[in-house]
Amino acid sequence: MQFHFLGTSAGSPTIERNVTALGFMPRGRKNWWLFDCGEGTQQRLLRSTLSLPKMNKIFITHMHGDHCYGLFGLLTSRGLMSGGEEAVHIYGPKGIKEMIHTVLKLSYVNLSAPLTFTEFDEAGELFSDDEFTISNVRLSHDVPSWGYVIKEKERPGVFDSAKAKADGIAPGPIYSQLKDGAQITLDDGREIDGRDYVGKSQEGRTALIGGDNDRPQLFGEALNKAAVMIHEATHTEEALASLSFKSRHSTAKRVALIAAENEVKNLVLTHISPRFLTKPRKGMKCVDEIEDEAKENFEGPLHMARDYDVYELDRDSKLKLIDSRYRKERQR
C-alpha cells in the first residue's frame, strides 16, 4: 500500500502546505483512490507520480471546504484528459452529490465520465472487492465527520515450489491447483494435498484514515494493532488551551495516547494548523512542537506528514518514507 500526501494543512493553506488530500495506491493496481480533496489538490497532483485519469474512487470525510472544495476543478480537469472518461465513484456524507452536481451545472460543465455516488449518514461497510473492504466510522466534529477503515482481506500463504519440485512434482498447471489447496492424484498414483505446499495464510493489514475529529478513540475495535493510523493533529495541548474559541480537533497528545493504548503499529500525523510553521522561526510556533508532544506519548514509529511525502506499507506492516520533496529540498 502506498500513501501519497497531497495536502497536510488544516483550514487554509500555507506557503509550504496545501489543505487536505491523500492518495491511496493499492500495490499492483493501475487505479488509485483519493481521500478528501481540498482546494488546489489538482495542482499538487501535477507534481506527484499519480495519474489523475487513473483515479476512480473518492472518499470525502466531511463537507468543510478544506476537505472538498477541490472536487469541482479536479473532476472538470480529469474530464478533459485522455482516459478521463472512466467512471468515478464518490463516497461521502449526505449532501456531497447535490454539492457537486450543483456546481458543475451552474458552471456549465458536462463531464465525459459518469459520476456515481454512495452517500451515508450511518456507519457500515461501503465497498468490498477481492482485496479490500472499506467501512466508515462516525467521528466527532462541528459537522458530521467520518473516518475510513481500509481492511485488507486475508491473503493465502506462499506456494513452496521448491518443495514441490523436490517431491518430484513437475511445474505446470498442477501448481495452480496445489496453490488452491486442492487434493491431487499424480500419474504415479501418489495422492498429494496442496495444503502441504502452501505456507500459513497472511492476516490482512488495517489502515485508518481520519477526518476532522476530537475523539480518536471513536475508531473503536479497528484501532487494535492497526498497521497504520493517519489522523489529524491540528494542535498541541498548549495551543488548544490558548484558543479563544472551541476547536473540535485533536491534539498530538490525544491521538498519540490512543495509538499507544491500542498498539497501533505506525502513526502518521497530518492536518496541522497553519499557526505551526514548517521551519522554525523565532517567536513562532513550529510543527516540531506537534511532533515532540506526540513522541512523549507514543513510542512506536511516528511520522509527520508533509506535502508530497509518499509512504509505503510493506507486508510486515513497516511504514517507510520512499519519497519526500521537502526533505530533498532541506538537504540542498
Coordinates of all heavy atoms in Angstrom, one line a residue, residues 5 27 41 43-44 87 101 126-127 129 138 149 189-190 199 204 215 222 256 281 290 305 318 326:
F5 N 0.7 12.0 0.2 CA 0.2 13.1 0.9 C 0.2 14.3 0.0 O 1.3 14.8 -0.4 CB 0.9 13.4 2.2 CG 0.6 12.4 3.3 CD1 1.3 11.2 3.4 CD2 -0.4 12.6 4.2 CE1 1.0 10.2 4.3 CE2 -0.7 11.7 5.2 CZ 0.0 10.5 5.2
R27 N -1.1 -1.7 -4.0 CA 0.0 -2.3 -4.8 C -0.5 -3.2 -5.9 O -1.4 -4.0 -5.7 CB 0.9 -3.1 -3.8 CG 2.2 -3.6 -4.5 CD 3.1 -4.3 -3.4 NE 4.3 -4.7 -4.0 CZ 5.4 -4.0 -4.2 NH1 5.4 -2.8 -3.8 NH2 6.5 -4.5 -4.7
T41 N -6.0 20.7 -4.9 CA -5.4 19.3 -5.0 C -4.9 19.0 -6.4 O -3.9 18.3 -6.5 CB -6.5 18.3 -4.6 OG1 -6.8 18.5 -3.2 CG2 -6.1 16.9 -4.7
Q43 N -3.4 20.8 -8.4 CA -2.1 21.4 -8.6 C -1.1 20.5 -8.0 O 0.0 20.3 -8.5 CB -2.1 22.8 -8.0 CG -2.6 23.9 -8.8 CD -1.7 24.3 -10.0 OE1 -0.5 23.9 -10.0 NE2 -2.2 25.0 -11.0
R44 N -1.4 20.0 -6.8 CA -0.5 19.1 -6.1 C -0.2 17.8 -6.9 O 0.9 17.3 -7.0 CB -1.0 18.7 -4.7 CG -0.8 19.7 -3.6 CD 0.5 20.4 -3.6 NE 0.9 20.9 -2.4 CZ 1.4 22.2 -2.2 NH1 1.5 23.0 -3.3 NH2 1.8 22.6 -1.0
A87 N -15.5 6.0 -15.3 CA -16.4 6.4 -14.2 C -15.6 6.6 -12.9 O -14.6 6.0 -12.6 CB -17.5 5.3 -14.0
H101 N -23.1 18.2 -8.1 CA -24.0 18.4 -9.3 C -24.4 19.9 -9.5 O -24.4 20.4 -10.6 CB -25.2 17.5 -9.2 CG -25.0 16.1 -9.6 ND1 -24.2 15.8 -10.7 CD2 -25.5 14.9 -9.1 CE1 -24.2 14.4 -10.8 NE2 -25.0 13.9 -9.9
L126 N -18.9 0.1 3.1 CA -19.2 0.9 1.9 C -18.8 0.2 0.6 O -19.4 0.3 -0.4 CB -18.5 2.2 2.0 CG -18.8 3.1 3.2 CD1 -17.9 4.3 3.2 CD2 -20.2 3.6 3.1
F127 N -17.7 -0.6 0.7 CA -17.2 -1.1 -0.6 C -16.3 -2.4 -0.2 O -15.7 -2.5 0.8 CB -16.2 -0.1 -1.2 CG -15.3 -0.6 -2.3 CD1 -15.8 -0.9 -3.5 CD2 -14.0 -0.9 -2.0 CE1 -15.0 -1.4 -4.5 CE2 -13.1 -1.4 -3.0 CZ -13.7 -1.6 -4.3
D129 N -14.0 -5.6 -2.5 CA -13.6 -6.3 -3.7 C -12.8 -7.5 -3.2 O -12.9 -7.9 -2.0 CB -12.9 -5.4 -4.7 CG -11.6 -4.9 -4.1 OD1 -11.1 -5.4 -3.0 OD2 -11.0 -4.0 -4.7
R138 N -18.2 6.9 12.4 CA -18.7 8.2 12.7 C -17.7 8.9 13.7 O -17.3 8.3 14.7 CB -20.1 8.2 13.3 CG -20.7 9.6 13.6 CD -22.0 9.5 14.3 NE -23.0 8.8 13.5 CZ -23.8 9.4 12.6 NH1 -23.7 10.7 12.4 NH2 -24.7 8.7 12.0
V149 N -12.0 3.0 7.4 CA -11.2 1.9 7.7 C -11.0 1.0 6.5 O -11.9 0.5 5.9 CB -11.9 1.0 8.8 CG1 -11.1 -0.2 9.2 CG2 -12.2 1.9 10.1
G189 N 0.3 -42.3 -9.2 CA -0.6 -42.8 -8.2 C -0.6 -42.2 -6.8 O -1.4 -42.4 -6.0
R190 N 0.4 -41.3 -6.6 CA 0.5 -40.6 -5.3 C -0.6 -39.6 -5.1 O -1.0 -38.9 -6.1 CB 1.9 -39.9 -5.2 CG 3.1 -40.8 -4.9 CD 4.3 -40.0 -4.7 NE 4.7 -39.3 -6.0 CZ 5.5 -38.2 -6.0 NH1 5.9 -37.7 -4.8 NH2 5.8 -37.6 -7.1
G199 N 2.2 -22.1 2.5 CA 2.5 -21.6 3.8 C 1.3 -21.0 4.5 O 0.2 -21.0 4.0
G204 N -4.7 -9.9 6.9 CA -4.7 -8.6 6.2 C -4.4 -7.4 7.2 O -4.6 -7.5 8.4
R215 N -12.0 13.1 19.0 CA -12.1 11.9 19.8 C -11.6 10.7 18.9 O -12.4 9.9 18.4 CB -13.5 11.6 20.3 CG -14.1 12.7 21.2 CD -15.5 12.4 21.6 NE -15.6 11.1 22.3 CZ -16.7 10.4 22.4 NH1 -17.9 10.8 21.9 NH2 -16.7 9.3 23.1
A222 N -11.3 -1.1 15.4 CA -10.4 -1.1 14.3 C -9.0 -0.6 14.7 O -8.1 -0.8 14.0 CB -11.0 -0.2 13.2
A256 N -1.8 10.4 20.0 CA -0.7 9.6 20.4 C -1.1 8.6 21.5 O -0.7 7.4 21.5 CB 0.5 10.4 20.8
R281 N 11.0 29.5 13.4 CA 11.3 30.9 13.3 C 11.1 31.5 14.7 O 10.1 31.1 15.4 CB 10.3 31.5 12.3 CG 10.6 33.0 12.0 CD 9.6 33.6 11.0 NE 9.5 32.8 9.8 CZ 8.6 33.0 8.9 NH1 7.6 33.9 9.1 NH2 8.5 32.2 7.8
I290 N 4.4 19.8 17.6 CA 3.4 18.8 17.4 C 4.1 17.4 17.5 O 3.7 16.5 18.2 CB 2.7 18.9 16.0 CG1 2.0 20.2 15.8 CG2 1.8 17.7 15.7 CD1 0.6 20.2 16.4
A305 N 3.5 13.9 8.5 CA 3.3 14.0 7.0 C 3.6 15.4 6.5 O 3.2 16.4 7.2 CB 1.8 13.6 6.7
K318 N 5.6 -2.5 8.1 CA 6.6 -1.5 8.3 C 6.3 -0.3 7.3 O 6.2 -0.6 6.1 CB 8.0 -2.0 8.1 CG 8.4 -3.0 9.2 CD 9.8 -3.5 9.0 CE 10.2 -4.6 10.0 NZ 11.6 -5.1 9.8
Y326 N 10.1 17.6 0.4 CA 10.5 18.5 1.5 C 11.9 18.2 2.0 O 12.8 19.0 2.2 CB 9.5 18.4 2.6 CG 10.0 19.1 3.9 CD1 9.9 20.5 4.0 CD2 10.5 18.4 5.0 CE1 10.3 21.1 5.2 CE2 10.9 19.0 6.1 CZ 10.8 20.4 6.2 OH 11.2 21.0 7.4

